[in-house]
Amino acid sequence: MTGQEMDFLGQVIESGFLNDGPLTEKFEAQIAEFLGVPYAVALTSCTAGLYLSLMALGIGHGDEVLVPDITFIATANAVKMTGAEPVLVDVDLETFCISADDAKKKITNRTKAVIPVHVTGRPSNIPALLQLCKEHTLHMVEDAAEALGSASFGGFMGTHGITGCFSLSPAKTITTGQGGLIITKDATIHGRLRELKDQGRPKRGTGGDDVHSSLGFNFKFTDLQSAVGLAQLATLEGRIERLRRHYEIYAETLDNCPGIRLPNFDLADGACPQWTDIYVENGRDELHQHLKEQKMDCRKFWFPIHRQNAYKQDDKQFPNSIAVSNNAMWLPSSLNLTDEDISSVCHAIKSWAKSPQLAARS
Ligand SMILES: Cc1ncc(COP(=O)(O)O)c(C=O)c1O
């Protein structure tokens, strides 16, 4: 929060209008313009965005939706909220994103949609997934929670599907404390999303004379959040540049580091790593501990969804997601880190990788 957040918040408080109003419209318009789409809808969270996207497409009980086994659990939970079944799909070892090959195997006559998750901002295999959607008449809803400002295949992530959903929770490229965004190029879907986020009202009346033309809920954003969002958005390009720089230093310095692999971000194609992640061939937990002891905060990857209680399944179908979950972790990637900070993390990783214990590990 280094920009005009306080000024903009002060203006909203002075105005006396705190609800989802003119500032939220401005925030939505600026996001839509940045991403090059006609419509953006701000709402309470990315989870709500995924849920409403599926609802707007008429997906519910009896339907199936393909979801990667490596993701934050929100992706699967959003499908469950509609009454449809999330069908878990293994991931690619190169990208940690949904495997188009495995997705193809999991399609049944109940499958209605696929939700690729651009893990850490790294683009999923969009061309293969779009081809699959075409062949099997599926919708693609992008979980771009971690991919604001990351681009590939000729457009920003989130713009390739019928909708794209972003998270504004803390540690994302921009944050409003909590919050989410849905973008779409489809006017009808946009209309449905607006109704769904506001109790089924296409337009707000006085409160008494409102027409609720469909079922809907309260997933509204607030102008307080938009004040913060607009201030953050003004610095988005600088943030993207900084995150790409983090990755560049990590990639250059850790090149050829034994036992460490950085999944590729194609910076030239426009990809932006929201965080930098690595795959540790042997001893991920040990390296995590080693960095933690030096106050270099890292995060181990998620457990696979199929190992979480609500989605328990046999391990057999998910060899890659198990490997990613056991061996991957996120390196320090905070926006306020300097080049020197990143270099010292690289130094700590390299000295760990070369330590005598490595022989014992491998
Ligand atoms: C991949 C992914 N999907 C969905 C979400 C959910 O976002 P939110 O917390 O805004 O609901 C997150 C949040 O961190 C995420 O990382």
Side-chain angles (χ1 to χ4, degrees), residues 17 32 60 69 80-81 85 92 99 108 113 132 143 159 176 190 198 285 292 305 318 322 324 326 329 343 348:
F17 187 91
D69 192 40
K80 276 275 193 201
M81 280 166 81
E85 262 317 297
D92 280 333
S99 154
T108 71
L132 211 59
D143 181 339
T159 65
T176 55
H190 175 241
D198 190 14
D285 291 357
K292 214 172 134 192
I305 302 294
F318 307 102
I322 292 168
V324 170
N326 288 342
M329 68 181 204
S343 297

Side-chain angles (χ1 to χ4, degrees), residues 85-97:
E85 262 317 297
V87 173
L88 300 175
V89 176
D90 204 9
V91 297
D92 280 333
L93 267 186
E94 291 303 306
T95 61
F96 306 169
C97 296

Side-chain angles (χ1 to χ4, degrees), residues 129-140:
L129 292 167
L130 283 175
Q131 181 62 28
L132 211 59
C133 289
K134 201 168 148 197
E135 283 167 12
H136 299 270
T137 329
L138 310 179
H139 298 291
M140 184 162 90

Side-chain angles (χ1 to χ4, degrees), residues 161-230:
I162 180 77
T163 70
C165 303
F166 300 90
S167 173
L168 299 169
S169 67
K172 300 298 190 296
T173 307
I174 62 168
T175 183
T176 55
Q178 289 290 334
L181 288 158
I182 315 173
I183 56 163
T184 184
K185 295 175 188 161
D186 187 302
T188 310
I189 293 289
H190 175 241
R192 276 299 288 139
L193 291 170
R194 295 216 79 83
E195 289 175 358
L196 283 166
K197 93 159 188 181
D198 190 14
Q199 310 288 11
R201 289 183 279 208
K203 215 167 72 184
R204 241 172 279 163
T206 62
D209 64 357
D210 280 327
V211 175
H212 302 267
S213 49
S214 71
L215 177 69
F217 313 99
N218 179 4
F219 289 114
K220 290 196 293 292
F221 208 54
T222 68
D223 276 16
L224 285 167
Q225 288 168 294
S226 293
V228 175
L230 282 162

Side-chain angles (χ1 to χ4, degrees), residues 300-347:
K300 295 180 195 173
F301 249 62
W302 303 292
F303 293 118
I305 302 294
H306 81 271
R307 284 189 177 171
Q308 301 286 5
N309 271 342
Y311 301 98
K312 272 265 183 311
Q313 275 184 58
D314 198 88
D315 276 351
K316 271 202 303 274
Q317 293 180 63
F318 307 102
N320 292 350
S321 78
I322 292 168
V324 170
S325 175
N326 288 342
N327 299 320
M329 68 181 204
W330 288 286
L331 295 176
S333 302
S334 170
L335 281 159
N336 55 5
L337 294 177
T338 62
D339 288 9
E340 291 70 33
D341 293 329
I342 304 287
S343 297
S344 27
V345 179
C346 291
H347 180 73

Side-chain angles (χ1 to χ4, degrees), residues 45-48 50 71-72 74-75 117 143 145-146 167-169 172 178-179 302:
S45 67
C46 178
T47 312
L50 293 165
T71 178
F72 183 54
T75 321
V117 177
D143 181 339
E146 303 177 357
S167 173
L168 299 169
S169 67
K172 300 298 190 296
Q178 289 290 334
W302 303 292

Side-chain angles (χ1 to χ4, degrees), residues 253-261 346 349-350 353-354:
T253 320
L254 295 176
D255 192 28
N256 293 324
C257 180
I260 304 287
R261 172 171 73 84
C346 291
I349 295 172
K350 282 169 100 170
K354 285 188 194 136

